[in-house]
Amino acid sequence: MPRYSGIERKQARWGLIFVAPAMLFFAVFSYYPILNAFATSFFNKRALSKAPPRFIGLDNYLRLFSLKTAGNELSFYNSLRSTAIFTVGTFVPLLVLSLLAAALIASLDGKRAKRALQVAYYTPAVLSSVVAATIWMLIFDPRGLANQWLNGLLGLTGVDHLWLVDRSMEQLSTMIIYFWKYIGYFVILFITGLSSIPPTIYEAARIDGAGKLQVFGRITLPLLKPTVVMVSIMSMLQCLKTFSTQYMLYTNGAPRGPINVITFNIYVTGIQEQYLGRASAMSVVLFVVMLFFTWFQFRLSKADDVEY
Amino acid sequence: MKRAIALLSMIALMAPALLFAKDKKADGKQITINYWTHEDPARTQLEKELIAQFEAANPNIKVVRTTQAAVKLIELVQTAFAANQGPDMFNLPIENEYAYITNRRVAPVDAKAAGYKSAKDIAAKYAPGVLDAVTVDGKLYGLPLELTNWCIYINKKVFRSAGLDPEKDYPKTWEDMMAVSEKLVIKDGNILIRRGFDFRYPYYLTFFVPMVEQLGGKLISDDGKTAIVNDAAWLKVLSYMQQWGPSGKNLGSPTYKNARNLFNLDNNDIAMANTGLYQQGRIEKDNPAFFKSGEWMVVPFPTFKGAVKNTAACYYGHYFMVNDDAAKEVQEASWKLAGFLLSHGEDYLTRGGNIIQPTKALLESKTLKSMPYSDVFIKDMARAHMIYYGPSSAELQTLIRNAVESVMLSGVTPEKALATLKAAAQEIIDEQ
C-alpha cells in the first residue's frame, strides 16, 4: 500500500475534482444506459406499457440464439452475419486506405495542397446524415450517377446495377457510404501520428541510402504502430456500431434483410416493435462482442513496445 | 481518498435518476400545452392562426406546437412516452396510436372541456363508426383531426402520350393496372425512366391488405386468434408484387422516388399515384399551372378480376389524444384546444391541407362536395373500412413490409415470405 505525502494527496484531490464532470457525463450517458440495458435484458418490457416489466430470466437471450429462427432473414443470427460482413468489408479498406492517404498527404511539399486534401477528406465526416442521405440516394437512384459511372466504365448502356435492391450490391452500397463518410476522420488521426515521428530518424535513414518504400516499411509503419492500433480499434468499434447508413437506406425503400446489422435490429426491435427487453439483450451481446474484439486487438498488437 | 472516489461514483451513478425525474404538475395558473404534430405547411399556417386566437381567448394557456416529419413523429412520440416524457397533446395515424389507448397512456376525452355537452353529443356529431377506433370499454380516447382514404390520381397528358385515352383506359382492375403500366413505362435498358404507377410504400396496411381482402384473405381472423387468413389470397398478391418489382416486369420499386411527390411535378416521370384528397392542395402549392390545367383526374382504387370482396384502400384517421400523465389542468386545457381546432373543419378542408374532419356537417357540406373529385373519394370510402388497428398494428405493418419487399427485391419466393410473415404475425397475436 503506497503512502502518499500531503502534497500528493492534495494533488490527487484536485485531480478528482477535475475528472468529476467527465465522470458525471459518462455516468449519465454511458454507465447508466449500460447497467439499465443489462438489467432490462432479463425482463419482458414493452416500450409503451405502464405495467411493471415481467422477469423472464434468460428467455430474451435464448430467443436470440434459438436455432428455430436461424433461417429467418431477419433473425439475430442474420444480424451477426450482416454485421460481420459489413465490419470486415469496411474496416479493412478504411484502415489501409486511410493510412495510405495520410502517408500521401504527409509526403506532399506544399502546405496549401496538404490542407486542401485534409479538408476534402474530412468534409463528409461533418455532413449531417440527412445531407449524406440526400446525396447518396441521388447517386444510387437507378437513373443516378452510380449506374452512369459504372456503365460508362464497363462500356454498357441502360444496365441497372440494383445498388439498393440486390443483396450484395446493397451491402456494398452501405460500405461505400460509410467509407466515404469516415475515411477523413481516420486520415486526420494518421496524419497526427505521422507528425509525431521525429524527423531525425527519416534524415538518418536517407543518409544511409534508404528508398521511399524502405522508409515507409521499416520506419513509418513500425513507429506508427500505436496509431495503427488505436485507429484499427476505433474503426472496428465504429463499424460494429454502424446504424445511420443502414437506417438511411431502409427508409429510402431498400430491403432490410441484407443490411439488418445488430444496431439496426436493436432499433427495429426496441423502437418499432417495442420489445425493449429483447432489444436490450441484443445490445448486451453487441457490447460483449465489442469488448472481446477490443481485448483481442490489444493482445495481438502489444502496442506499448514502440520506442524512438 | 477511497471514500471520496466511492462517494463521487455513487453521486455519478445516481445523477441520471435525478436528472430524468419528471415533474408533470402545471406551474401555478399558467398552463403550457406541448402539442406535437406532423409536418404539413398548409395546416401549420392555419393552426398558427387558430392557436393565436385560442391563446388570446385563454391568456393563461400557452401552446408550444412542435412539428416533425410524419414517419419521424411516430418514433419520437413513442420514445418520449417510453421515457415518461410524452407530449401533452399529439396526433398520429390510428394504426400507430391505438397502442397508446390499450397501454393506458392517454386520457379519456373531456367532452365538456372540448366544447360538447357530453360524450353522446360528440358521437352524434361525427359520421357513424369513425369514433369506434378510439372507443375502448365504452370510453372515448380521441377526437379525429382527419379521416383520409386514397384513390388513383392520373396525369392525362402522360396517358395520351402513350396512345391511351385516360377517360376510357384508366385501370379498373389490378390486372389492368399492370397492363396499362406496361404501356406507359419508358425504359433505358432496364432502368425505368417513366413509371406508369407505383405503390405507396411502406403503408402496407392501407393499400396491400385491402388487395388481399379483395381475394378473400384477411390479416386477422374474425375471432382475433389467427393471423394471415387464406394463404392463396396472400400468395396471389405477393406474386403480383413480385411481378411488379425489378425481378418481374420491372414496373416500379420502393427504391424509386416517391410516386406521390413526383406526380405533382408533371415532368413525365409518372402517370399515376395513389393518394388522398389532400394531394390537391399539394399539387396546387407545388405546381399551380398543372393544378389549374385540367390535365389530372382521380379514379377509384382498383380491384382484382374475380374479386370476392369489393373493397377500396383502407381509410385511416389521425386523432387528437391527450397524455394521461399530464396534470389534470393541462389535460383539460388540451381538450379545450383540441375542441377549438376541430370546430374549424371547413378551414382545415379549404386552407388547412385539404383534410377531412369526419363530422356529419362537413361530410354533407357544399364545400366538400364542390371540391374536384370529392365524389370519387366519398364513394370509395363507402366501400372501404378503417385500417386495421390493434395493440400491435404497427408491428404487423413492419412484418408485411418485410414480406413484400423480400419478394420484390431480395429474390425470396412468395411461399417462403408468407411462411415467415405468418409465423411472426401469429407470434404477435398469441402474445396479445
Side-chain angles (χ1 to χ4, degrees), chain A residues 4 33 40 55-56 67 81 149 152 175 187 216 228 241 270 277 286:
Chain A
Y4 296 104
T40 307
F55 181 77
I56 52 168
L67 288 174
R81 196 182 309 127
W149 285 337
M175 290 175 197
V187 166
F216 185 75
V228 172
K241 289 193 297 181
L286 178 63

Side-chain angles (χ1 to χ4, degrees), chain A residues 27 48 63 158 160 250 267 271, chain B residues 12 75 78 105 190 401 427:
Chain A
L48 284 180
R63 191 195 148 84
D160 185 357
Y250 180 67
Y267 157 79
I271 302 297
Chain B
E75 290 172 9
Q78 187 179 298
R105 287 295 196 161
N190 56 5
R401 172 183 181 169
E427 191 185 354

Side-chain angles (χ1 to χ4, degrees), chain B residues 339-376:
Chain B
F340 175 76
L341 295 176
L342 297 177
S343 65
H344 294 79
E346 292 223 357
D347 288 327
Y348 277 92
L349 183 64
T350 52
R351 58 190 186 97
N354 299 131
I355 58 175
I356 303 170
Q357 289 173 0
T359 56
K360 284 176 185 165
L362 191 73
L363 290 172
E364 285 157 15
S365 69
K366 275 186 186 171
T367 315
L368 176 62
K369 286 178 182 165
S370 64
M371 284 186 76
Y373 300 105
S374 59
D375 58 322
V376 181

Side-chain angles (χ1 to χ4, degrees), chain B residues 216-233:
Chain B
K218 279 182 181 168
L219 177 61
I220 307 291
S221 63
D222 292 339
D223 62 6
K225 289 182 180 166
T226 310
I228 315 298
V229 178
N230 191 343
D231 285 7

Side-chain angles (χ1 to χ4, degrees), chain A residues 16 23, chain B residues 1-14:
Chain A
L16 214 56
M23 276 185 74
Chain B
M1 181 57 66
K2 274 186 181 172
R3 229 180 284 158
I5 293 174
L7 191 67
L8 203 62
S9 304
M10 272 181 67
I11 293 170
L13 283 170
M14 283 172 66

Side-chain angles (χ1 to χ4, degrees), chain B residues 16 37 66 139 165 180 198 223 249 302 317 390 416 420:
Chain B
T37 188
T66 307
K139 283 185 180 172
D165 179 349
V180 169
D198 215 349
D223 62 6
K249 292 179 187 285
K416 195 177 175 198
T420 308

Side-chain angles (χ1 to χ4, degrees), chain B residues 31-332:
Chain B
I31 293 169
T32 301
I33 302 170
N34 286 300
Y35 163 40
W36 292 8
T37 188
H38 61 284
E39 278 168 2
D40 179 341
R43 188 162 64 86
T44 293
Q45 182 58 39
L46 173 66
E47 286 192 352
K48 273 186 179 170
E49 285 173 29
L50 294 177
I51 286 171
Q53 289 174 25
F54 179 78
E55 285 177 333
N58 300 275
N60 66 324
I61 302 176
K62 182 177 165 26
V63 181
V64 180
R65 184 180 185 272
T66 307
T67 59
Q68 284 288 343
V71 176
K72 194 81 190 157
L73 186 71
I74 294 166
E75 290 172 9
L76 286 175
V77 171
Q78 187 179 298
T79 311
F81 268 96
N84 294 320
Q85 299 290 329
D88 302 314
M89 180 174 138
F90 64 99
N91 68 274
L92 294 175
I94 187 61
E95 65 271 27
N96 298 99
E97 222 169 10
Y98 189 73
Y100 291 81
I101 303 176
T102 54
N103 283 296
R104 309 277 174 220
R105 287 295 196 161
V106 287
V109 176
D110 182 337
K112 286 196 175 144
Y116 299 91
K117 286 176 199 157
S118 62
K120 272 188 183 174
D121 184 30
I122 298 176
K125 289 201 161 72
Y126 281 95
V130 294
L131 298 178
D132 292 354
V134 283
T135 305
V136 174
D137 298 333
K139 283 185 180 172
L140 182 66
Y141 288 89
L143 292 174
L145 166 67
E146 65 171 284
L147 194 74
T148 303
N149 67 330
W150 298 342
C151 294
I152 309 291
Y153 278 71
I154 287 178
N155 184 321
K156 297 182 193 175
K157 276 189 281 183
V158 179
F159 261 63
R160 284 197 296 271
S161 73
L164 297 166
D165 179 349
E167 305 291 343
K168 287 181 189 164
D169 298 327
Y170 73 83
K172 287 100 184 162
T173 66
W174 288 112
E175 289 82 358
D176 288 348
M177 182 61 92
M178 199 172 268
V180 169
S181 288
E182 280 186 271
K183 288 178 187 163
L184 287 164
V185 291
I186 297 174
K187 292 180 187 173
D188 169 18
N190 56 5
I191 297 173
L192 281 168
I193 303 297
R194 180 175 81 184
R195 282 173 287 169
F197 169 76
D198 215 349
F199 291 92
R200 187 82 179 265
Y201 316 101
Y203 299 96
Y204 293 98
L205 288 178
T206 315
F207 77 85
F208 181 86
V209 171
M211 290 169 75
V212 173
E213 288 171 346
Q214 290 172 358
L215 297 169
K218 279 182 181 168
L219 177 61
I220 307 291
S221 63
D222 292 339
D223 62 6
K225 289 182 180 166
T226 310
I228 315 298
V229 178
N230 191 343
D231 285 7
W234 283 86
L235 281 174
K236 185 168 177 187
V237 187
L238 282 171
S239 302
Y240 184 91
M241 297 305 286
Q242 187 184 39
Q243 282 300 298
W244 191 268
S247 54
K249 292 179 187 285
N250 191 20
L251 300 172
S253 151
T255 57
Y256 277 89
K257 277 182 197 150
N258 179 327
R260 175 172 63 90
N261 290 342
L262 278 184
F263 185 87
N264 298 359
L265 303 178
D266 179 35
N267 58 4
N268 203 30
D269 264 342
I270 196 144
M272 292 176 275
N274 191 194
T275 183
L277 184 75
Y278 61 82
Q279 193 70 20
Q280 296 182 16
R282 299 187 185 190
I283 300 173
E284 190 174 15
K285 182 177 167 289
D286 291 348
N287 193 346
F290 179 49
F291 180 75
K292 289 174 194 152
S293 68
E295 288 291 358
W296 58 272
M297 58 188 260
V298 181
V299 299
F301 189 75
T303 50
F304 277 104
K305 263 180 199 160
V308 295
K309 192 176 175 190
N310 179 20
T311 190
C314 288
Y315 51 85
Y316 58 88
H318 275 256
Y319 292 81
F320 279 138
M321 287 189 179
V322 170
N323 190 342
D324 191 43
D325 285 342
K328 290 295 164 206
E329 50 270 43
V330 177
Q331 288 185 21
E332 196 181 315

